[in-house]
Amino acid sequence: MKNVTITIARQYGSGGRTVGKMLAKDLGINYYNKELLRLASEESGINEDLFLDADERCRTIGFFKMPANVYTGEILGPDSKDFTSFDNLFNFQAATIKKIAETTGGVIIGRAANFVLKDYDNVISVFVHAPQDFLMEQAAKVQSLPPDELEKFIAREDKYRADYYEHHTGCKWTDAMNYDLCLDSSKLGFEKCVEAIKAYAKVRFGEI
């Protein structure tokens, strides 16, 4: 099948982003993470800085205390006072994600992409997770923090991801029913996570 899209949600420190990069390189397809913000900016005509600023603002403590706004596919136009609101910026990102799935395909990291593409037949959704000790070990490679602070940092990052996901989807981020594959990277390692995703893709779609 052409234009296969693989979405990867991941715990901080699980190596999900690394798995995504390796997978995209192995399959010869595009990899999307922060690049989605630039593409959404180009598609919408909204300054990329607003997308970046929204990303930072939504990390603020208590930001997601606002009621959930489950994504429905609607996009507000420039005449709306909420044109550049946090939720409408997500709508533009979602439109970009859909365009990728409908055209080139690729590997998409985060952004609740599995929910946005839940009705697409050419999509594989993956959640990469690991036990706390593995998360700590991997996170320590990029964050120079004492163990107690590092543990708090990981918890904050995962809470942000969980809150972001639930706000836009109305679903629990860690619910296995939201994904085709849930992989423990501590047991498989990154390379075998890639192999597991490719094996699933082959069973489902044939060669890609």
Side-chain angles (χ1 to χ4, degrees), residues 106-123:
V107 174
I108 301 174
I109 304 297
R111 310 283 163 186
N114 67 306
F115 183 85
V116 172
L117 301 176
K118 60 185 172 62
D119 296 324
Y120 283 63
D121 293 332
N122 63 326
V123 174

Side-chain angles (χ1 to χ4, degrees), residues 74-93:
E74 179 185 10
I75 292 180
L76 302 176
D79 55 333
S80 171
K81 64 180 177 61
D82 293 322
F83 180 59
T84 59
S85 67
F86 172 73
D87 288 322
N88 204 44
L89 292 175
F90 176 85
N91 294 342
F92 278 113
Q93 291 176 60

Side-chain angles (χ1 to χ4, degrees), residues 1 4 121 124 181 195-208:
M1 174 178 279
V4 169
D121 293 332
I124 297 170
L181 291 174
E195 292 305 314
I197 298 168
K198 287 168 60 181
Y200 175 86
K202 185 174 182 180
V203 170
R204 185 165 161 193
F205 300 130
E207 295 294 339
I208 60 173

